[in-house]
Amino acid sequence: AAMYSGTAAGPPRRDFISVTLGPEEAVGVGGYNNSKAWRRRSCWRKWKQLSRLQRSVILFLFAFLAVCGVISYTSMGEAWKSITSKSLDDQRTEQAIPRLKLANPAVLPAPQKADANHGDYPDLSLQKPPKLPHVRRGPSNLQIRAPQRATRLKTRHDTMRAVEELVEVDKVEKTEKSIISWRGAVIEPDQSTEPPSSKIMEPEKPSSVEAEDQKEPVPINERQLAVIEAFRHAWKGYKDFAWGHDELKPLSKSYSEWFGLGLTLIDALDTMWILGLKEEFEEARKWVANDLVFDKNVDVNLFESTIRILGGLLSTYHLSGDSLFLEKAKDIGNRLMPAFKTPSKIPYSDVNIGRGTAHPPRWTSDSTVAEVTSIQLEFRELSRLTGDEKFQKAVDEVMKHVHTLSGKNDGLVPMFINTNSGQFTHLGVYTLGARADSYYEYLLKQWIQGGKKENELLEDYMRAIEGVKKHLLQRSEPKKLTFVGELAHGHFSAKMDHLVCFLPGTLALGAHNGLAADHMKLAETLIETCYQMYAQVETGLSPEIVHFNLHAQKGHKDVEIKPADRHNLLRPETVESLFYMYRFTGDKKYQDWGWEILQNFNRYTRVPTGGYTSINNVQNPSNPEPRDKMESFFLGETLKYMFLLFSDDIDLINLDKYIFNTEAHPLPIWVPA
Ligand code: DMJ
């Protein structure tokens, strides 16, 4: 006989069970009870016919089987109990730490796992300092010293409780010494379309370093917890009032759009990964999967969208191994390519990513030098991953061209370059600040990314640092701080942008990679200056620009601030350099300086309802004049570098394996050290 079962929903399923019927049942002879009684009678007759020995053997066998049955039942019960309770534990852990289902293995270790044997926070116990691997390169003064202390947080649950506890403490502190009485003040601050490349090859594996052994992650410490807490506070504001938009306006509880591409969310993805905020990451990932659309009639700035969006997607792909991010990176990468269709191949500043058209700013046909020379790490990596060389070719051509250009001053470049002629314009002004800064940074970083083979990049970098030493370094009074000024048509100006504070970190990175040891000395003096740009100011936060005093005057500090320059945009450069300095020297003072800065951000820029804001006046602690804007780089860079600065785990983004783009998105070094 055959039984058929179909399901109401979905395709019918056919299950067949065959049943063999005895002749009597088959024809329905006799009732069920009758046949049972008949079977009982015949069994008894058979038993009686057996010999005594046969009966004893059978009885013995039954007894033996019964004993075995009892024993195995007891031990299975134990095993079952432990399985059940283990799976309950697992479920609980799963609920606390939702696991990411990722296509490829992650490069970074997963966040701290639960260890159910330990007690609860706040019983923070000390742990043995983690062993730091021997640093193979660079002068001996760059060797990392073992950290003195780290906090062991036992479980993921402990971590979150600790974070929550910090929030509580912070809330109490806020009510006691909050001096931010903002009362909601609001200060507003023709090319042809190139279709996405059809010859994209199968993507490479996530990263050149992923296959390496994962070591035990070093437990996070209290300062890192404070960074996590700050991040979550910032994220809360973004989530509540600006979700999917470019930037949070935390005071007006709204948002601003620049490109309309969820800039903060994308910029923050890899930070969430590094901080171990998997729930937030998963939620943001969903937005990228379902809502991030680049086919939009919108003008974007080539540089900004490359460093923040392309860079952010590529690094998140490397860290998570999730191919969604690579797909999105390819999409935006292709859409940015029309920018390179210029007479000189020096890209235009703006691209319409929906229409595939690009153009210079309305008032000029110039592009900014830093912008056209700080997109290389990202496009080169995109070529490596896709196997499509057009991205790398386009950006390498820019570098080769700039290498040959005249108009430099001992390796220092002017700030503008013309997209028609390909020549520098506005000659004679040299700065390491706005419009030139990351040109220098990317010379070194491309050289490292490519395995230290591209000599022209190194030559240009070394020459430029000599140029800095020769033309731009001066010492201030009274503290004799070494700073990097500017040169305008032969005249030195003691003006230094906060942006220049990337330089100590870059110099230290170069020295770590075997370049002149005096670069490290210079890095040490410059980072002290950058710290003083915070420490000498009333709020302990740096202004956007400072002017240094070249002559001692009674009652004057080294740092002078002009009214137009006293804003702070939550920028990362000093914290970034502190991170490099700590990694390469192990000197705790760099961590302490970073800690001061974090506390001052919390004091003067934190908005109680969620988010942090830029401020207009770093000199007025009683009213820092909030600007009502949280820049995406606060999450993408500032908090990420803070977290890394406070870490003693050199494998948390190992600097011999990763190179950070200028928006703090780590990309793999192609030939890791
Ligand atoms: C960021 O977008 C990048 O760090 C860029 O290189 C400079 N400006 C901001 C941060 O200050």
Side-chain angles (χ1 to χ4, degrees):
M3 257 173 56
Y4 165 78
S5 86
T7 44
R13 243 180 52 224
R14 287 158 203 270
D15 297 329
F16 295 92
I17 300 173
S18 68
V19 180
T20 310
L21 300 175
E24 284 157 355
E25 287 86 347
V27 291
V29 177
Y32 174 72
N33 287 334
N34 284 346
S35 98
K36 229 172 148 185
W38 175 85
R39 241 184 271 130
R40 233 184 274 133
R41 271 198 310 274
S42 91
C43 278
W44 182 243
R45 224 178 291 137
K46 291 228 168 85
W47 176 254
K48 282 282 182 193
Q49 285 163 4
L50 293 175
S51 72
R52 219 175 167 167
L53 179 69
Q54 281 172 319
R55 274 189 253 160
S56 322
V57 169
I58 288 170
L59 283 173
F60 174 76
L61 275 175
F62 269 119
F64 179 73
L65 284 174
V67 171
C68 288
V70 170
I71 292 170
S72 65
Y73 174 79
T74 334
S75 61
M76 266 175 67
E78 287 303 315
W80 175 249
K81 250 195 257 166
S82 79
I83 287 168
T84 328
S85 59
K86 189 163 177 275
S87 77
L88 277 175
D89 281 351
D90 284 351
Q91 277 173 30
R92 269 181 232 124
T93 314
E94 289 292 330
Q95 278 159 11
I97 318 166
R99 289 222 183 102
L100 296 174
K101 305 270 183 301
L102 300 172
N104 295 308
V107 177
L108 275 182
Q112 315 282 307
K113 284 276 168 59
D115 170 4
N117 294 329
H118 296 282
D120 282 339
Y121 184 86
D123 175 26
L124 300 171
S125 57
L126 297 181
Q127 62 140 27
K128 266 212 239 141
K131 256 198 190 161
L132 294 169
H134 180 67
V135 181
R136 280 156 291 173
R137 292 170 165 276
S140 58
N141 65 330
L142 306 186
Q143 306 292 304
I144 293 182
R145 270 191 251 134
Q148 290 157 2
R149 173 175 180 274
T151 302
R152 178 186 284 280
L153 290 162
K154 297 105 184 177
T155 65
R156 168 77 177 183
H157 179 66
D158 293 344
T159 307
M160 283 308 134
R161 278 192 58 185
V163 169
E164 264 137 34
E165 201 138 314
L166 268 169
V167 180
E168 286 307 312
V169 169
D170 187 75
K171 270 187 203 154
V172 174
E173 275 184 9
K174 270 277 120 49
T175 41
E176 278 171 4
K177 52 181 179 179
S178 171
I179 37 99
I180 306 174
S181 53
W182 300 333
R183 291 179 216 92
V186 180
I187 300 157
E188 288 292 342
D190 279 341
Q191 311 293 313
S192 62
T193 305
E194 185 175 280
S197 168
S198 52
K199 49 175 191 154
I200 285 176
M201 292 156 58
E202 272 303 291
E204 278 194 12
K205 285 284 165 219
S207 122
S208 54
V209 295
E210 85 172 64
E212 297 211 359
D213 287 345
Q214 297 291 323
K215 296 185 195 83
E216 264 295 294
V218 175
I220 54 178
N221 56 48
E222 285 147 290
R223 286 179 175 181
Q224 286 179 291
L225 276 177
V227 180
I228 292 177
E229 191 281 319
F231 184 97
R232 291 180 83 209
H233 183 78
W235 193 247
K236 178 189 167 355
Y238 179 73
K239 203 176 147 184
D240 289 351
F241 311 122
W243 185 252
H245 297 286
D246 283 343
E247 290 133 349
L248 167 68
K249 293 172 66 137
L251 292 166
S252 51
K253 301 194 173 77
S254 61
Y255 57 83
S256 54
E257 294 291 29
W258 188 6
F259 309 143
L261 297 173
L263 207 57
T264 296
L265 188 148
I266 300 177
D267 225 358
L269 283 168
D270 58 3
T271 306
M272 288 185 267
W273 184 274
I274 291 167
L275 269 54
L277 298 174
K278 292 307 176 96
E279 260 165 58
E280 289 86 346
F281 180 87
E282 252 310 85
E283 210 175 343
R285 185 211 178 270
K286 266 190 207 130
W287 184 87
V288 172
N290 303 328
D291 300 297
L292 177 59
V293 177
F294 292 130
D295 191 9
K296 270 187 170 177
N297 181 8
V298 60
D299 275 354
V300 303
N301 174 284
L302 170 69
F303 163 73
E304 298 290 358
S305 50
T306 299
I307 64 169
R308 301 187 199 210
I309 299 176
L310 179 56
L313 291 168
L314 288 174
S315 70
T316 307
Y317 167 62
H318 279 293
L319 299 181
S320 69
D322 187 337
S323 57
L324 164 73
F325 300 108
L326 179 58
E327 289 311 311
K328 292 288 179 186
K330 281 185 213 168
D331 190 8
I332 186 70
N334 276 303
R335 289 173 186 279
L336 292 174
M337 288 306 283
F340 295 90
K341 289 192 172 172
T342 69
S344 65
K345 309 242 179 87
I346 297 297
Y348 288 130
S349 59
D350 297 281
V351 195
N352 186 306
I353 52 172
R355 298 220 309 260
T357 57
H359 58 86
R362 237 172 258 140
W363 57 91
T364 174
S365 55
D366 289 350
S367 286
T368 295
V369 169
E371 292 193 358
V372 301
T373 55
S374 312
I375 49 179
Q376 279 65 17
L377 292 175
E378 300 82 356
F379 278 96
R380 282 155 52 111
E381 177 59 11
L382 188 58
S383 273
R384 193 181 74 89
L385 289 171
T386 59
D388 186 342
E389 61 183 16
K390 73 174 178 214
F391 305 110
Q392 172 150 14
K393 257 180 112 180
V395 293
D396 278 353
E397 211 154 319
V398 177
M399 292 314 294
K400 288 207 176 84
H401 177 79
V402 171
H403 175 73
T404 62
L405 277 185
S406 58
K408 292 180 198 153
N409 187 0
D410 290 318
L412 302 176
V413 289
M415 296 188 287
F416 296 98
I417 186 164
N418 190 274
T419 49
N420 294 321
S421 68
Q423 298 299 310
F424 287 130
T425 63
H426 303 80
L427 301 183
V429 180
Y430 302 100
T431 173
L432 266 273
R435 297 191 183 276
D437 49 359
S438 43
Y439 159 73
Y440 304 101
E441 178 189 347
Y442 268 37
L443 287 174
L444 177 75
K445 288 184 172 179
Q446 286 175 81
W447 177 70
I448 295 171
Q449 177 192 43
K452 305 183 193 173
K453 291 194 283 256
E454 296 151 291
N455 291 335
E456 287 183 355
L457 294 167
L458 179 61
E459 269 169 40
D460 288 351
Y461 176 74
M462 294 302 280
R463 197 164 296 143
I465 300 306
E466 288 313 302
V468 170
K469 288 191 214 162
K470 186 167 165 195
H471 300 288
L472 304 183
L473 289 189
Q474 285 275 6
R475 298 178 89 191
S476 67
E477 293 295 342
K479 283 201 165 191
K480 308 208 181 306
L481 303 172
T482 301
F483 68 93
V484 184
E486 297 184 352
L487 198 62
H489 311 291
H491 294 288
F492 180 79
S493 157
K495 163 182 179 271
M496 180 166 157
D497 293 352
H498 182 270
L499 287 169
V500 182
C501 289
F502 80 92
L503 187 60
T506 299
L507 287 167
L509 180 66
H512 175 72
N513 279 279
L515 303 186
D518 72 326
H519 285 200
M520 191 62 190
K521 283 268 156 299
L522 182 55
E524 279 164 2
T525 52
L526 287 176
I527 190 62
E528 167 79 39
T529 305
C530 289
Y531 168 64
Q532 289 299 327
M533 286 165 66
Y534 286 70
Q536 294 197 6
V537 181
E538 288 79 347
T539 55
L541 291 174
S542 170
E544 179 73 357
I545 299 169
V546 299
H547 287 77
F548 284 94
N549 280 317
L550 292 175
H551 308 287
Q553 288 178 66
K554 219 172 162 213
H556 282 254
K557 297 179 187 157
D558 301 70
V559 167
E560 297 283 350
I561 305 168
K562 298 199 189 289
D565 304 332
R566 57 191 184 196
H567 48 289
N568 179 298
L569 305 184
L570 313 170
R571 285 197 191 276
E573 290 76 18
T574 296
V575 181
E576 169 186 353
S577 284
L578 288 171
F579 156 63
Y580 284 103
M581 296 306 293
Y582 180 68
R583 267 287 166 98
F584 297 139
T585 67
D587 190 335
K588 292 274 177 197
K589 80 175 175 209
Y590 298 124
Q591 286 187 326
D592 294 341
W593 292 352
W595 181 238
E596 273 175 39
I597 293 172
L598 178 63
Q599 284 171 308
N600 290 327
F601 276 135
N602 274 329
R603 230 164 253 149
Y604 299 109
T605 72
R606 184 173 164 119
V607 180
T609 45
Y612 288 74
T613 179
S614 311
I615 54 173
N616 259 336
N617 192 351
V618 293
Q619 292 182 294
N620 190 350
S622 59
N623 182 11
E625 298 170 29
R627 286 171 86 123
D628 194 21
K629 184 159 172 178
M630 184 173 78
E631 300 281 348
S632 78
F633 50 70
F634 183 62
L635 300 191
E637 297 194 68
T638 312
L639 291 180
K640 183 189 290 152
Y641 282 131
M642 286 270 188
F643 187 79
L644 294 171
L645 164 65
F646 299 141
S647 170
D648 285 312
D649 182 359
I650 67 160
D651 284 317
L652 185 59
I653 313 295
N654 187 317
L655 291 174
D656 291 325
K657 295 174 181 170
Y658 286 96
I659 193 85
F660 283 94
N661 86 339
T662 192
E663 188 76 7
H665 298 303
L667 299 172
I669 293 172
W670 297 343
V671 189

